[in-house]
Amino acid sequence: MLPTTPAGIARAGELLRAGALVAFPTETVYGLGGDATDDCAVAAIFAAKGRPQFNPLIAHVADVATAQAWARFDDRALELAHQFWPGPLTLVLPRPADSPLSLLVSAGLDSVAIRVPGHPVAQALLRAAGRPIAAPSANRSGAVSPTTPYHVLESLGDRVDAVVAGGKCAVGVESTVIDLTGPEPVLLRPGAVLPDEMERLIGPIRLSQGDPTAPKSPGQLESHYAPNAAVRLNASSAESDEAFLTFGPDRFVFGGASRLNLSPQGDLNEAAANLFSHLRQLDQSGAGRIAVMPIPDEGLGVAINDRLRRAAAPRP
């Protein structure tokens, strides 16, 4: 466990350059980082997560200028990058034919998912490492994403070489992902950057109807972000043997062996920040099923509901 001091960040950068795996905070969730130019390091990410190798990774870089060295930007991409980076937005862009990024990062596709994170610790680490960092969420593949350093250790244990302990992540759900490899922008994964914010800059955006068996970005597998317990959505009450994930005033809540509220005030930002940590806690209660109250499907609620639907999907 490394502190966020200059010495701790420098040590994390050394580990990354040596091919080690380092978990670190972003504004969204903790990422499991490896040198994106090192095939062995990227393969180690897949192995540590038990991740299907057809599921691409996001390459994290420090700024827009650096990103342009690793992906081909058109006017739309530059518009979005200048507006939302650093921040919780991932762009899927054409990959240059001579790119030194590991092919495993792109899972064999001719595109690359790239992001400039806004978290100051992530920024410091990227500059200390001096190279792009491939970083999916720092948890076992398909499991609940980590928003604290302790979540990383719970999920991965000694599969990660170091964790930069930067506290709790502010946003709490993964980045918005938009595909700009074709003439029509396509939303692959909702997140904190909302479609209407982007549409004001680049025009209409289509919602992906892609094949979950061959995703173009992380987070598109049909069953994903899943706790061990089964998840039941749109529940108005919970059975006595169910854990209950609620939203809004508790006076309307009935039943449940154990219960956590995403936001008693009905604040979607607070709910997003609490989503994965609350799912983890309820999963650890021993209940065989988690009942989840309806979440408004607006604003950040779109991203929350996307994660919950994947958590509730039939397991492979």
Side-chain angles (χ1 to χ4, degrees):
M1 191 77 81
L2 295 173
T4 58
T5 59
I9 296 295
R11 177 58 180 151
E14 291 173 2
L15 288 168
L16 285 164
R17 289 193 299 275
L21 300 185
V22 176
F24 64 97
T26 74
E27 65 273 29
T28 56
V29 299
Y30 270 73
L32 178 60
D35 181 353
T37 66
D38 182 337
D39 288 336
C40 291
V42 177
I45 293 173
F46 285 109
K49 287 179 63 70
R51 186 184 183 92
Q53 291 201 9
F54 50 73
N55 199 3
L57 305 181
I58 295 172
H60 294 69
V61 296
D63 51 47
V64 176
T66 304
Q68 289 179 273
W70 301 100
R72 295 206 306 270
F73 281 68
D74 61 13
D75 290 343
R76 301 170 304 172
L78 287 172
E79 189 77 37
L80 292 176
H82 288 308
Q83 179 68 29
F84 297 111
W85 281 355
L89 175 67
T90 294
L91 302 178
V92 177
L93 302 172
R95 174 189 170 118
D98 59 350
S99 172
L101 286 175
S102 168
L103 288 171
L104 286 174
V105 170
S106 299
L109 300 174
D110 57 2
S111 58
V112 61
I114 197 162
R115 174 162 99 91
V116 176
H119 197 292
V121 173
Q123 280 284 322
L125 180 58
L126 284 161
R127 298 184 190 282
R131 58 199 63 185
I133 299 176
S137 56
N139 55 276
R140 289 176 292 103
S141 184
V144 181
S145 297
T147 53
T148 74
Y150 304 102
H151 293 163
V152 177
L153 295 180
E154 286 174 3
S155 191
L156 294 178
D158 60 6
R159 296 184 178 192
V160 60
D161 297 297
V163 181
V164 181
K168 185 178 179 181
C169 300
V171 176
V173 293
E174 290 83 350
S175 60
T176 302
V177 181
I178 184 167
D179 179 8
L180 296 176
T181 58
E184 183 181 25
V186 180
L187 182 68
L188 299 181
R189 182 175 72 183
V193 177
L194 304 180
D196 60 348
E197 296 178 291
M198 295 184 287
E199 286 181 331
R200 284 195 287 269
L201 297 174
I202 63 170
I205 297 171
R206 179 171 61 83
L207 181 64
S208 172
Q209 302 295 325
D211 180 358
T213 66
K216 291 195 72 172
S217 82
Q220 288 193 285
L221 296 178
E222 186 176 1
S223 177
H224 207 60
Y225 315 106
N228 292 317
V231 175
R232 180 169 69 90
L233 301 180
N234 299 316
S236 57
S237 61
E239 301 297 329
S240 60
D241 60 345
E242 289 182 315
F244 202 5
L245 185 62
T246 65
F247 177 82
D250 277 327
R251 64 180 180 272
F252 299 117
V253 175
F254 302 97
S258 56
R259 180 189 306 162
L260 286 173
N261 195 320
L262 288 170
S263 174
Q265 292 75 38
D267 185 318
L268 290 172
N269 291 333
E270 181 183 21
N274 287 329
L275 177 62
F276 290 132
S277 61
H278 281 20
L279 278 174
R280 281 177 176 274
Q281 290 181 60
L282 293 177
D283 202 26
Q284 292 166 356
S285 72
R289 189 163 61 176
I290 300 172
V292 183
M293 284 185 67
I295 308 296
D297 204 34
E298 58 189 33
L300 204 49
V302 175
I304 295 170
N305 284 317
D306 173 78
R307 305 313 190 269
L308 288 171
R309 283 191 294 271
R310 295 178 191 275
R315 310 293 170 85

